[in-house]
């Protein structure tokens, strides 16, 4: 069972860009990714989603029009490029007015191969071990 999570230990300065990597520990048989991510728009803005090292060569579509939520779909017609590593990266701009401290990026849902690959632990809305924290400086 693959595990998908946001890497810990992220840091971002007010007014700068911070990259949030979503990683997998076993991409064997990976063909598609659907996920939902939540964030605090008072702290983070202008999300841009791109493929990671594992998914290079695939296709990604991201709906970033709903404030505080990102809906992502990716297809890998040629399969993964590696078995472990980054599947998606989200670039955020840290609001210049953000308070110094931490903000959570909530990995809310991950479906691999339309649930053909079971993710464990399963991300959920709210605080869980798959989420990432960004230290705002």
């Amino acid at each position: 069972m693959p595990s998908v999570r946001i890497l810990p230990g992220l840091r971002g300065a007010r007014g700068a860009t911070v990259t949030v990597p979503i990683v997998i520990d076993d991409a064997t048989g990976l063909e598609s990714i659907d996920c939902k991510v939540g964030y605090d728009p008072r702290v983070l803005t202008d999300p841009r989603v791109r493929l990671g090292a594992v998914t290079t060569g695939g296709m990604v579509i991201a709906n970033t029009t709903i404030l505080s939520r990102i809906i992502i779909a990716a297809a890998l017609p040629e399969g993964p490029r590696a078995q472990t590593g980054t599947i998606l990266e989200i670039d955020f701009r840290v609001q210049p007015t953000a308070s110094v401290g931490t903000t959570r990026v909530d990995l809310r849902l991950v479906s691999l191969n339309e649930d053909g690959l079971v993710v464990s632990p399963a991300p959920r809305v709210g605080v869980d071990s798959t989420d990432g924290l960004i230290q705002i400086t």
Side-chain angles (χ1 to χ4, degrees):
M1 263 186 259
S3 171
V4 177
R5 63 187 175 91
I6 296 172
L7 278 182
L10 303 173
R11 298 179 67 79
R14 290 180 284 180
T17 298
V18 61
T19 299
V20 175
I22 301 175
V23 298
I24 191 167
D25 68 351
D26 182 2
T28 303
L30 184 62
E31 298 172 355
S32 67
I33 304 163
D34 294 289
C35 74
K36 295 180 181 179
V37 175
Y39 64 94
D40 184 344
R42 296 170 297 177
V43 179
L44 303 172
T45 188
D46 196 25
R48 308 283 178 174
V49 178
R50 55 193 159 97
L51 295 170
V54 171
T55 53
T56 297
M59 299 170 283
V60 65
I61 297 173
N63 181 345
T64 60
T65 60
I66 303 168
L67 196 61
S68 80
R69 287 186 278 171
I70 307 168
I71 301 168
I72 305 165
L76 310 173
E78 297 180 19
R81 298 288 186 230
Q83 295 308 302
T84 63
T86 305
I87 55 173
L88 297 165
E89 293 181 319
I90 306 170
D91 294 324
F92 289 101
R93 188 173 65 80
V94 179
Q95 294 277 21
T97 56
S99 297
V100 171
T102 59
T103 190
R104 180 171 302 280
V105 180
D106 184 11
L107 190 57
R108 297 178 171 182
L109 172 98
V110 174
S111 173
L112 304 178
N113 296 0
E114 298 180 1
D115 292 331
L117 295 175
V118 177
V119 177
S120 180
R124 59 183 168 80
V125 175
V127 177
D128 65 53
S129 64
T130 67
D131 297 343
L133 288 176
I134 302 171
Q135 180 68 43
I136 306 299
T137 58

